[in-house]
Amino acid sequence: MPAKNGAAKRGQDGPGTGGIRLVIVESPAKAKTIAGYLGANYVVESSIGHIRDLPSRAADIPPKYKGEPWAKLGVDVDHDFEPLYVINADKKQQVAKLKKLLQDADELFLATDEDREGEAIAWHLREVLRPKVPVRRMVFHEITRDAIRAAVQAPRDLNLRLVDAQETRRILDRLYGYEVSPVLWKKVMPKLSAGRVQSVATRLVVERERERIAFVSAGYWDILGQFIAPARDGDKGDEPRDFQARLVSVDGKRIAQGRDFTAQGVLRGDLRHLDEESARGLADRLTGRPFAVTSIERKPYTRKPYPPFRTTTLQQEASRKLGFSAKHTMSVAQKLYENGFITYMRTDSITLSETAIAAARSQAAALYGSEYIPAKPRVYQTKVKNAQEAHEAIRPAGETFRTPGETGLSSDQFRLYELIWKRTIASQMKDATGQSVSVRITGTSTAGEQAEFGASGKVINFYGFLKAYVEGLDDPDADRDDRERRLPKLEEDDPVTASAVNAEGHSTRPPARYTEASLVKELEEREIGRPSTYASIMGTILDRGYVFKKGTALVPSYLAFAVVQLLERHFFHLVDYDFTARMEDCLDAIARGEAERVLWLRRFYFGEDGDEGLKELVSDLDEIDAKGVSSFPVKGTDIMVRVGRYGPYLDRAGERVNIPEDLAPDELTAEKAEELFNQMSTDRELGKDPETRHPIVAKAGRFGPYVTEILPEEPAGTDKKRKKAAAKPRTASLLKSMSLETVTLEDALKLLSLPRVLGELDGEPVTAQNGRYGPYVKKGTDSRSLQGEEELFTITLEQAKELFAQPKQRGRGAASAPPLRELGVEPATGKPVVVKEGRFGPYVTDGETNASLRKEDQVESITIERASALLAERREKVASGGGGKAKTTPKRRTAKSRS
DNA sequence: CAGTGAGCGAGCTTCCGCTTGACTT
């Protein structure tokens, strides 16, 4: 049989014997490699990841299920949480290709990854392809010729319990995400999201910011001495003689250092806390005094190499050393992978194949000498608890490694490859060894105080793996692993002289903000998220506006504070840091056949023994105080931060001011809040109304820029008569042609003169004014919209009369607007159906029922059949009370609950 | 967060995890 499909990868080993075997893997690049290892009777193709999933939105729901109350969830919660699967739109083509290839195959090998998701992909493939030929499950953990050939010889059956565990995971994530997100839409802001992973990630960032806000810095002082060791016979002059040592204790009492203070700035333990005055005094009293070495402690020093990269450690190092975001690292790595330079980049494994170990060792020996290679290969064991280890570690591909220079790569790909290459080589090299030394020096001050100084040194005798690779640092003050700190040769009782003794002031610092890399690391340690999702989690919390970047630091927005506060108060167990860990335990039990998924999902969703389930929690919307969850006090003030629909603002007894978007929450101190209130005068005074003498100001308001007049303050004891006369200030929105910065007093007076009286018609006054829907003319209760704002000042009574003589342009008048297309008569009802352009875009109507076109519909191509289906769906919805105006109540409720 | 005057087809937003391109910036 000739290869029907050019994209399918056929083996190269000449004509095969026996039947054709179709092997399906997840990744196209992997398919290409594996095809080269198998005979010509193997056809290797990929699924390109998952091929089916729960419907993500209404348009994906098959018509048959549209009416079901659970259709949007895609999970029939009342019938054992039966999931509804649809083939992903972007995989239909690939599924068709696989079906076609299967027609010519005599055997099907499902060779997806050996982990929970891979097992599920294999199962979905079997369900969708419905093979009539024997099906085998084939697994391997490294892509080498031997491993692949061995895998083909030892297939097994699908593990349906593992598939069950995956399905449970999927359903739980759907219920969480699609039930909790709408609560946020109603109580905080539309389009927000909540989920098992992103909500915990957001909470971590928010909690760190809370710690920073609560942090109280403590000041402390210490003393740094410059010392000189005695000259020795036989010195060649290349050994250092001077060194630094820091004050450790005075009269046996240890000096307080930064780590001795709590986050509240309180000193822990009975220590000597030096302030500036005492530190300077002591330094003076020690200057010029004799010192002597009182103790020397030498210890051997060894440092083991770092394990090979997995996804998270690669992201961290690429961030530290190359400044890459998680997303950029993954996209560069993807290219390297596709072009055969590295192994798979989404992995939690640090295991190297035997061929890779051999390649690393021989290359390290060639580059650094055989003395840099340990006798036995190094084997690394993962510490990630929920690791699924379907892949190898991230390493250079192939059975011998290309040096970066041999790859011909450039720029970011070169740099990332070089990082991976060096790390892999180094992981098979010897430990670095040396000596560390700790020295104590004591002297007596002029006042008789016993002062002890300490210094430590590190000498590396053999660099080992550090020759090839040194890990980057998050803390700029920390020492790199290859950094030596040489001390002079010293012996006990050696006299040393102090060339300088200086007091130094310090203050404790709040915990550092997360970066993308450190947040990913934290999530991995807490077993939350997977290698394939770490980068996109960062994308999600950035896109939702939960965090923003300041340099590389992740700063939470007040929106995130509001969302996290809501979740903590009303869904605490869902954002508990152990939630995922408990879920994993349960999924493992399901995979072992020791737990029943329906019971577990039922408890989660419907509750048990008085514990509320998710369903009940998301229904009790009245329980959630929208204003409360969106309010935070500013420390030490009576000012509240509130998160409104238009962003965060400060509220002090009704007086309000916006918070700048880029202001980090921990920078909003009482002073800063005060400053914002003082700056509030973005209000610009334009001058005084020549008639009333009232000041006229331009302001930025809820509905955009506007002008208003400032009325004189009412005297305290106003009588009734005056109160009645007390007028509201005139206000008017700026025209679109004006701006807050350039509007003049003349403009303002013109605007405030509205409404303009044009005259009288039919015994009623006719006025021109600006309103909610733009400029219009009004006659009694009748009105007509105007074309442009300028017409407000130019329209005559005569022109207005003409307008009132015509029917309204919109509203009922719209019926006379010509349709975009006529689709003909609907067979079911006999009514003519047309397509019209409306306020929300194109829709079809039979004159009574209207239905919007969906995303997949086009005005030009929609058929009467499709229109009829849309109308039928709409009629049913209205009849069941689910659609139409009855549903506008949530809006009111939202507004009410927020005010 | 200023508060003015209609009457109109709503429908959608969202999760996590597995994969690439096809898109736009």
Side-chain angles (χ1 to χ4, degrees):
Chain A
M1 176 207 73
K4 279 187 178 175
N5 202 315
K9 288 88 191 170
R10 288 291 293 268
Q12 306 286 315
D13 281 9
T17 53
I20 296 290
R21 290 172 159 181
L22 175 61
V23 179
I24 303 179
V25 296
E26 286 174 43
S27 148
K30 200 193 261 185
K32 200 169 135 193
T33 312
I34 289 175
Y37 295 151
L38 292 172
N41 55 329
Y42 287 87
V43 176
V44 189
E45 187 46 78
S46 64
S47 71
I48 323 183
H50 272 292
I51 55 161
R52 290 203 305 186
D53 193 12
L54 305 174
S56 72
R57 42 181 190 181
D60 297 339
I61 302 168
K64 187 179 158 192
Y65 297 100
K66 283 242 161 120
E68 301 287 348
W70 49 267
K72 274 194 159 181
L73 278 177
V75 177
D76 187 355
V77 291
D78 293 320
H79 292 93
D80 289 349
F81 299 90
E82 193 57 40
L84 168 65
Y85 289 117
V86 294
I87 296 181
N88 304 350
D90 57 341
K91 299 293 164 54
K92 284 192 173 145
Q93 223 182 341
Q94 192 67 11
V95 169
K97 184 194 269 185
L98 291 173
K99 277 185 178 166
K100 190 148 199 216
L101 289 170
L102 187 59
Q103 284 173 7
D104 299 321
D106 303 299
E107 220 173 341
L108 175 61
F109 278 69
L110 298 172
T112 48
D113 297 347
E114 186 171 34
D115 57 19
R116 206 160 59 207
E117 297 296 327
E119 203 72 16
I121 292 173
W123 177 77
H124 280 296
L125 282 167
R126 198 181 71 179
E127 291 292 300
V128 170
L129 299 177
R130 303 218 157 274
K132 295 181 182 64
V133 295
V135 179
R136 318 218 182 276
R137 176 81 170 102
M138 161 182 163
V139 294
F140 47 87
H141 298 110
E142 52 182 62
I143 305 176
T144 57
R145 188 174 297 265
D146 291 345
I148 298 301
R149 293 197 166 177
V152 177
Q153 298 307 315
R156 61 166 171 82
D157 289 329
L158 269 180
N159 179 350
L160 292 179
R161 290 203 299 231
L162 197 55
V163 176
D164 242 15
Q166 189 275 345
E167 201 165 53
T168 308
R169 195 279 306 154
R170 180 68 190 93
I171 292 168
L172 176 119
D173 282 333
R174 169 53 63 93
L175 295 174
Y176 185 146
Y178 275 36
E179 290 283 35
V180 179
S181 297
V183 175
L184 300 180
W185 305 343
K186 285 167 197 149
K187 294 294 178 178
V188 185
M189 214 185 266
K191 298 201 175 185
L192 296 179
S193 60
R196 176 173 57 81
V197 174
Q198 61 168 285
S199 294
V200 170
T202 307
R203 184 171 171 225
L204 283 167
V205 180
V206 166
E207 285 237 301
R208 178 63 53 88
E209 196 74 5
R210 286 175 180 158
E211 286 171 26
R212 290 171 62 85
I213 292 168
F215 185 82
V216 180
S217 179
Y220 63 93
W221 284 69
D222 65 4
I223 295 174
L224 187 66
Q226 311 286 336
F227 295 92
I228 301 171
R232 284 184 191 283
D233 295 341
D235 266 7
K236 287 179 197 156
D238 60 348
E239 287 291 321
R241 277 186 60 204
D242 51 339
F243 63 100
Q244 293 187 338
R246 201 168 286 278
L247 182 66
V248 177
S249 69
V250 175
D251 292 336
K253 201 164 191 176
R254 189 158 74 76
I255 300 296
Q257 295 293 312
R259 60 176 180 277
D260 299 316
F261 293 89
T262 65
Q264 286 74 46
V266 178
L267 182 61
R268 275 184 287 238
D270 182 25
L271 304 175
R272 180 85 181 267
H273 183 181
L274 288 185
D275 59 14
E276 178 171 6
E277 194 188 340
S278 50
R280 289 194 189 284
L282 181 57
D284 284 347
R285 295 193 295 276
L286 287 168
T287 302
R289 302 292 296 168
F291 285 83
V293 175
T294 41
S295 81
I296 292 183
E297 205 181 333
R298 291 193 176 83
K299 280 184 192 163
Y301 159 91
T302 65
R303 187 80 180 78
K304 283 186 166 46
Y306 324 99
F309 280 131
R310 57 181 189 274
T311 303
T312 51
T313 52
L314 177 67
Q315 287 176 1
Q316 285 156 37
E317 278 289 87
S319 164
R320 290 191 279 238
K321 290 189 167 169
L322 309 178
F324 289 2
S325 69
K327 187 181 167 189
H328 187 61
T329 299
M330 294 313 281
S331 107
V332 174
Q334 175 83 29
K335 287 197 192 96
L336 289 172
Y337 166 67
E338 284 170 14
N339 294 317
F341 289 106
I342 61 169
T343 54
Y344 197 61
M345 63 281 153
R346 291 184 276 264
T347 176
D348 50 19
S349 169
I350 50 175
T351 307
L352 293 178
S353 68
E354 278 176 32
T355 53
I357 289 174
R361 285 169 63 87
S362 68
Q363 195 155 41
L367 288 165
Y368 301 103
S370 56
E371 68 273 25
Y372 278 85
I373 309 303
K376 279 188 183 170
R378 290 183 183 274
V379 176
Y380 292 94
Q381 295 272 323
T382 183
K383 284 183 202 137
V384 180
K385 268 206 301 194
N386 63 338
Q388 306 202 359
E389 301 212 60
H391 306 95
E392 272 192 77
I394 303 169
R395 62 162 175 98
E399 292 172 17
T400 56
F401 298 161
R402 279 170 281 193
T403 63
E406 286 163 359
T407 58
L409 293 168
S410 60
S411 66
D412 285 355
Q413 288 193 39
F414 178 89
R415 296 201 287 162
L416 195 66
Y417 180 82
E418 187 180 44
L419 201 64
I420 294 165
W421 176 76
K422 282 183 173 172
R423 175 99 167 199
T424 309
I425 302 278
S427 76
Q428 284 299 326
M429 291 171 67
K430 275 190 183 165
D431 290 353
T433 56
Q435 256 195 346
S436 64
V437 190
S438 181
V439 181
R440 291 293 159 111
I441 300 150
T442 309
T444 308
S445 77
T446 52
E449 298 146 301
Q450 280 267 314
E452 189 185 25
F453 284 74
S456 62
K458 183 174 89 183
V459 178
I460 301 174
N461 302 119
F462 178 72
Y463 274 80
F465 77 94
L466 290 173
K467 280 242 177 185
Y469 187 91
V470 184
E471 193 161 85
L473 299 167
D474 289 324
D475 179 358
D477 296 342
D479 269 351
R480 275 166 55 108
D481 285 335
D482 60 343
R483 163 99 185 265
E484 284 201 328
R485 203 199 293 268
R486 299 186 88 91
L487 290 181
K489 281 182 185 151
L490 290 167
E491 302 295 339
E492 259 178 55
D493 299 329
D494 273 354
V496 291
T497 39
S499 60
V501 180
N502 295 310
E504 283 186 349
H506 312 273
S507 53
T508 56
R509 284 183 301 186
R513 288 209 176 87
Y514 285 107
T515 61
E516 281 195 8
S518 67
L519 182 56
V520 164
K521 184 180 176 189
E522 185 80 38
L523 290 173
E524 184 190 44
E525 279 169 9
R526 294 175 183 274
E527 305 171 54
I528 299 166
R530 301 283 312 140
S532 65
T533 60
Y534 292 126
S536 61
I537 293 160
M538 301 299 112
T540 300
I541 63 178
L542 284 164
D543 286 350
R544 296 282 174 277
Y546 293 153
V547 301
F548 58 94
K549 278 189 172 182
K550 232 175 182 168
T552 58
L554 294 176
V555 186
S557 62
Y558 278 109
L559 174 64
F561 273 67
V563 167
V564 168
Q565 184 153 286
L566 186 154
L567 295 175
E568 284 173 340
R569 286 188 188 175
H570 300 280
F571 301 91
F572 185 78
H573 73 289
L574 295 184
V575 285
D576 190 1
Y577 294 125
D578 290 332
F579 180 79
T580 294
R582 284 199 299 271
M583 178 194 79
E584 288 290 345
D585 287 344
C586 177
L587 296 182
D588 286 346
I590 291 171
R592 289 193 306 266
E594 292 164 11
E596 224 273 284
R597 81 171 205 205
V598 172
L599 293 179
W600 190 72
L601 284 170
R602 210 173 271 158
R603 196 167 60 208
F604 175 73
Y605 194 68
F606 292 110
E608 187 184 67
D609 298 338
D611 275 350
E612 276 185 307
L614 181 62
K615 188 183 179 180
E616 201 176 340
L617 284 172
V618 300
S619 315
D620 285 350
L621 287 183
D622 292 342
E623 295 280 305
I624 301 175
D625 169 19
K627 187 175 174 180
V629 298
S630 302
S631 301
F632 316 92
V634 177
K635 197 163 81 171
T637 68
D638 55 354
I639 301 170
M640 293 297 274
V641 174
R642 291 196 201 286
V643 181
R645 284 191 184 228
Y646 315 98
Y649 60 95
L650 295 175
D651 187 327
R652 180 171 56 193
E655 196 188 357
R656 288 162 170 164
V657 56
N658 283 331
I659 299 173
E661 284 200 353
D662 57 348
L663 183 72
D666 77 336
E667 288 167 22
L668 186 62
T669 55
E671 300 78 52
K672 182 72 189 176
E674 209 56 55
E675 192 187 314
L676 286 172
F677 274 112
N678 293 336
Q679 277 174 3
M680 177 168 63
S681 343
T682 53
D683 304 2
R684 198 159 63 87
E685 189 161 334
L686 303 175
K688 284 191 168 133
D689 183 333
E691 279 181 33
T692 63
R693 306 304 302 158
H694 295 158
I696 307 292
V697 292
K699 301 172 93 165
R702 155 84 175 70
F703 306 115
Y706 68 103
V707 287
T708 187
E709 63 182 332
I710 307 286
L711 297 181
E713 293 260 339
E714 291 288 319
T718 352
D719 57 39
K720 275 184 183 174
K721 209 174 170 186
R722 285 205 52 164
K723 217 169 198 171
K724 206 175 173 185
K728 284 181 178 175
R730 292 173 294 160
T731 63
S733 284
L734 297 195
L735 302 186
K736 290 191 180 73
S737 59
M738 303 172 178
S739 81
L740 204 52
E741 290 73 35
T742 58
V743 67
T744 62
L745 178 63
E746 196 186 344
D747 294 332
L749 292 173
K750 207 164 96 175
L751 290 169
L752 292 174
S753 72
L754 296 171
R756 185 166 71 96
V757 180
L758 306 181
E760 227 174 68
L761 272 177
D762 310 326
E764 290 190 283
V766 177
T767 56
Q769 59 219 285
N770 221 348
R772 169 94 171 78
Y773 311 104
Y776 67 104
V777 283
K778 181 177 163 187
K779 182 187 74 170
T781 56
D782 202 5
S783 67
R784 292 289 182 279
S785 286
L786 293 176
Q787 292 291 319
E789 289 171 325
E790 281 308 313
E791 276 192 79
L792 285 172
F793 306 104
T794 59
I795 190 168
T796 61
L797 184 64
E798 203 55 31
Q799 290 166 322
K801 192 178 173 183
E802 278 175 35
L803 277 176
F804 281 113
Q806 291 164 11
K808 287 199 177 191
Q809 284 297 303
R810 283 191 276 182
R812 283 167 58 193
S816 63
L820 297 173
R821 271 188 71 203
E822 293 180 12
L823 298 178
V825 174
E826 189 184 5
T829 59
K831 289 180 177 176
V833 176
V834 295
V835 187
K836 287 187 171 182
E837 183 66 34
R839 197 161 52 109
F840 305 117
Y843 65 102
V844 290
T845 177
D846 64 359
E848 190 182 346
T849 305
N850 311 302
S852 284
L853 298 201
R854 302 291 161 76
K855 276 180 182 164
E856 63 266 32
D857 300 317
Q858 300 294 326
V859 175
E860 301 75 35
S861 58
I862 191 165
T863 61
I864 181 68
E865 288 78 22
R866 173 67 179 157
S868 180
L870 287 172
L871 288 169
E873 196 183 309
R874 183 78 196 129
R875 285 183 198 112
E876 193 170 324
K877 208 166 188 179
V878 173
S880 69
K885 285 167 188 173
K887 272 249 165 176
T888 55
T889 34
K891 204 175 177 186
R892 261 198 61 218
R893 244 172 78 179
T894 308
K896 208 171 156 189
S897 59
R898 292 183 54 78
S899 58

